[in-house]
Amino acid sequence: MPTEATPLSAAGARRSPEVLTGSGAVLRTLEHLGITDVFGLPGGAIIPFYDELMASTTIRHILVRHEQGAGHAAEGYASSSGKVGVAIATSGPGATNLVTAIADAYMDSVPFIAITGQVFSTLMGTDAFQEADIVGITMPITKHSFLVTKPEDIPATIAAAHQIATTGRPGPVLVDITKDAQQMSAPYVWPPKIDLPGYRPVTKAHGKQITAAAQLLAESSRPVLYVGGGVIRAGASPELLRFAEATGAPVVTTLMARGAFPDSHPQHLGMPGMHGTVPAVLGLQESDLIIALGARFDDRVTGKADEFAPDAKVVHVDIDPAEISKIRFADVPIVGDAKVVLADLLEAWAAVDQSERASTADWWAHLDKIRADFPLGYVEPQDGLIAPQHVIRRIGEMTGPEGVFASGVGQHQMWSAQFIQYERPNAWLNSGGAGTMGYSVPAAMGAKVAQPDRVVWAIDGDGCFQMTNQELATCVINDIPIKVAVINNSSLGMVRQWQTLFYDGRHSFTDLQTGHGTRRVPDFVKLADAYGALGIRVERPEDIDAAIQLALDTNDRPVVIDFVVSRDSMVWPMVPQGVGNSSIQYARELAPTWDDEDADMTGEPA
């Protein structure tokens, strides 16, 4: 019988495998895996691969200005499209510059392959020039890290990396290839034999667990579907919609799950967590059953974990068994793919007799009252400057639901999650678990490469923007016309908010001087112009729409809008760190009917 290593020609004779250099094998393997776009920056230990890549007619290489940008671009590419992202770097500092993006992808379950060059295998362990043990460094923040020292191992290793990154709970995989392995030659065998002992992701849940979950739901009078980013990674939004409508249960979508369920749907209570909506936060807190779907009971959602939803039983659905009962005990643990599990749950729910289902009418009446009493809103600034929430809301409204919105980290991230309506999955990109400042611009760049026909916004703060704005050069040179909204409050806004609330207003080292007063360091409009982008400054509310429209109409280059906003604007609601969700704080000015005696929450602190 013919084997994979000795294929038969049309005439039936065995033909010898093609002999390729290791770097040629890297390129050929990526092509076989369907990779069409990669982001990277060359250096000494990866030069052999770049020499091969130059001749590729099927893979587009985007030359970034910093390896961290390559990593975040690969994340944005993957998160917006569902495809795997690929970033390439050289050894030593090139590889370590990828670490932040790798850790970010690990926390947020992003399918991502990092390919790094390594010094010659004969020099490893000698502290050679630009040597770093990147496999050891990344072991805690990848699904797996490979070291390749022989050219014949390259096809199987990269194929295995692709399989690991894209199956089960998605995540980053690193492949470190020594320079001599890239330069030497070996027979190229495709498809390779992939041997991953012990790696067997479970996608189909046990039938008894599905039945038990459906029975708990039937008995529940205060259920909530707690939806996490795993639903988006699984492509399970259609199944979620069908299940939610069949059960009538309220839905909350976490920061990583915005768009998994349409914001406009009447069953949607909003985002839970530290800066979630009051209905979402209290809905979880007061529930008697939580069905967690691809969510991990993160501390930003639970608040003080031992006070979280004290009366609720838990059905926890996750493809990663390590997440189940890690923080909150699961009465019904279900290991499986969210898309498959939701389809099974829907079938099991349909089999439950109507007469056995508890009524949720009182629950919905209570939740609707909370919605009416505590709407999402913001307090107008008293300093005459623009309200950042209004800017972000108008960006969302004028762009529409087909746009992609990549956010940095901080106040603008929370406002973007709150005030843009998300109607579809993969429209919202952000650094959720790691909270990485500098994510936005390169992630938007990657998203635009993946989906060139969509409008892509980077919504950034003036602090975040200064960490990775050099990728504007990449965007200009490679015709990647993203839109950048800099929410410029001339400070590190979220830290400043905490200093205002919890440190008696001592604003220690959070002033940036980027927009207020006579100094602009730097001047973002001049910076945009220097990069070849269109720079716009907005300081008056009446100019907001015209600036956004000009950005939407400009598609021959990137656009940077410097929105000079109030530094005193706060993100509300807020659950302070270390307390239970019942202690949610809400700005009194936003509540149509505030009753201190009846409200299960505190007011805005002085």
Side-chain angles (χ1 to χ4, degrees):
M1 293 288 291
T3 67
E4 291 176 339
T6 56
L8 293 180
S9 68
R14 296 185 188 279
R15 50 184 171 85
S16 299
E18 182 181 8
V19 175
L20 297 176
T21 62
S23 55
V26 174
L27 179 60
R28 188 68 61 82
T29 301
L30 292 176
E31 291 173 340
H32 275 131
L33 292 170
I35 304 300
T36 57
D37 304 279
V38 299
F39 305 87
L41 193 111
I46 198 71
I47 281 179
F49 171 68
Y50 269 90
D51 190 55
E52 293 282 350
L53 183 58
M54 184 179 182
S56 177
T57 59
T58 60
I59 295 180
R60 180 189 184 190
H61 177 269
I62 307 295
L63 176 64
V64 298
R65 295 305 179 266
H66 191 287
E67 290 90 353
Q68 183 180 346
H72 292 320
E75 287 189 274
Y77 183 95
S79 297
S80 66
S81 67
K83 298 184 286 189
V84 67
V86 178
I88 302 166
T90 192
S91 63
T96 59
N97 279 345
L98 279 177
V99 167
T100 295
I102 292 170
D104 194 276
Y106 186 71
M107 290 289 281
D108 289 348
S109 305
V110 180
F112 170 26
I113 299 174
I115 298 175
T116 54
Q118 183 55 275
V119 300
F120 285 91
S121 59
T122 54
L123 295 177
M124 291 181 68
T126 69
D127 293 329
F129 177 67
Q130 291 192 334
E131 180 187 0
D133 179 12
I134 195 62
V135 169
I137 289 168
T138 59
M139 206 166 283
I141 55 169
T142 55
K143 287 188 74 177
H144 197 71
S145 295
F146 293 95
L147 173 65
V148 183
T149 60
K150 297 185 292 185
E152 57 266 32
D153 293 338
I154 287 174
T157 303
I158 294 179
H162 187 274
Q163 181 175 325
I164 294 170
T166 57
T167 57
R169 178 179 181 171
V173 179
L174 179 124
V175 181
D176 193 35
I177 309 173
T178 62
K179 191 169 183 179
D180 47 331
Q182 296 173 58
Q183 291 177 334
M184 292 188 296
S185 298
Y188 180 78
V189 177
W190 191 268
K193 181 180 180 182
I194 301 174
D195 186 20
L196 298 171
Y199 183 69
R200 301 287 186 272
V202 174
T203 56
K204 182 75 171 176
H206 195 286
K208 288 185 177 180
Q209 301 299 87
I210 296 291
T211 301
Q215 187 58 43
L216 273 185
L217 181 58
E219 296 167 0
S220 166
S221 59
R222 303 193 311 276
V224 174
L225 304 184
Y226 163 36
V227 177
V231 168
I232 290 180
R233 298 290 183 247
S237 292
E239 288 76 12
L240 171 63
L241 180 63
R242 287 194 287 271
F243 181 68
E245 290 184 338
T247 62
V251 178
V252 301
T253 53
T254 67
L255 181 67
M256 290 304 301
R258 302 293 288 114
F261 191 78
D263 278 356
S264 60
H265 198 286
Q267 287 173 239
H268 191 234
L269 300 182
M271 179 178 73
M274 178 175 280
H275 294 294
T277 65
V278 175
V281 172
L282 294 185
L284 278 175
Q285 190 68 8
E286 299 172 8
S287 64
D288 65 2
L289 175 67
I290 293 174
I291 298 182
L293 302 163
R296 56 189 181 86
F297 293 88
D298 176 77
D299 64 287
R300 285 303 196 256
V301 168
T302 65
K304 192 173 182 180
D306 59 5
E307 296 180 11
F308 176 68
D311 299 327
K313 292 184 178 180
V314 171
V315 175
H316 195 172
V317 178
D318 206 290
I319 198 161
D320 184 354
E323 289 296 343
I324 294 179
S325 292
K326 182 177 80 175
I327 295 171
R328 177 63 179 260
F329 173 76
D331 298 273
V332 179
I334 300 178
V335 178
D337 182 272
K339 191 177 185 72
V340 177
V341 171
L342 278 166
D344 290 344
L345 281 173
L346 181 61
E347 186 176 331
W349 175 253
V352 175
D353 192 280
Q354 290 274 1
S355 63
E356 297 179 9
R357 300 177 186 176
S359 172
T360 58
D362 290 344
W363 180 227
W364 269 113
H366 176 62
L367 294 174
D368 286 339
K369 185 176 187 306
I370 295 175
R371 279 204 274 210
D373 288 348
F374 299 101
L376 185 65
Y378 57 90
V379 179
E380 287 289 346
Q382 302 300 306
D383 54 13
L385 292 173
I386 295 171
Q389 302 94 328
H390 176 63
V391 170
I392 292 169
R393 173 175 279 165
R394 290 302 293 148
I395 288 172
E397 289 171 347
M398 294 178 68
T399 303
E402 294 305 313
V404 175
F405 307 89
S407 170
V409 168
Q411 288 180 312
H412 61 281
Q413 176 190 25
M414 296 299 106
W415 290 323
S416 297
Q418 292 174 331
F419 291 102
I420 294 176
Q421 288 281 105
Y422 298 100
E423 300 296 321
R424 63 178 190 87
N426 302 320
W428 164 244
L429 316 178
N430 83 125
S431 172
T436 305
M437 292 178 68
Y439 170 89
S440 177
V441 170
M445 177 176 71
K448 187 66 174 176
V449 171
Q451 299 195 304
D453 294 332
R454 292 193 186 276
V455 174
V456 179
W457 282 92
I459 301 176
D460 230 345
D462 48 318
C464 287
F465 183 58
Q466 292 183 81
M467 293 190 174
T468 50
N469 64 34
Q470 68 271 17
E471 299 309 334
L472 285 174
T474 308
C475 291
V476 169
I477 291 170
N478 291 278
D479 298 320
I480 307 170
I482 64 171
K483 330 291 184 187
V484 182
V486 181
I487 307 303
N488 183 0
N489 60 6
S490 200
S491 66
L492 300 173
M494 187 60 85
V495 181
R496 191 176 194 275
Q497 174 167 333
W498 281 48
Q499 290 172 337
T500 299
L501 298 178
F502 309 120
Y503 292 86
D504 296 325
R506 296 188 299 276
H507 298 135
S508 174
F509 303 104
T510 48
D511 291 337
L512 296 176
Q513 294 187 333
T514 51
H516 296 146
T518 58
R519 302 186 71 191
R520 299 188 190 278
V521 184
D523 185 319
F524 292 137
V525 173
K526 291 180 180 178
L527 182 71
D529 183 64
Y531 276 124
L534 172 61
I536 307 167
R537 179 170 293 115
V538 177
E539 299 180 271
R540 302 183 305 170
E542 57 266 31
D543 296 332
I544 291 172
D545 282 14
I548 295 172
Q549 191 59 55
L550 178 56
L552 293 173
D553 293 339
T554 302
N555 294 301
D556 61 342
R557 51 182 165 156
V559 180
V560 176
I561 310 179
D562 179 17
F563 289 103
V564 182
V565 303
S566 173
R567 65 168 53 183
D568 295 323
S569 293
M570 297 276 195
V571 182
W572 298 115
M574 181 177 185
V575 179
Q577 192 171 21
V579 302
N581 282 348
S582 294
S583 298
I584 187 171
Q585 296 174 349
Y586 185 82
R588 292 171 182 262
E589 297 94 324
L590 304 178
T593 56
W594 181 277
D595 189 329
D596 283 322
E597 293 183 0
D598 295 336
D600 188 24
M601 60 184 69
T602 63
E604 179 182 347

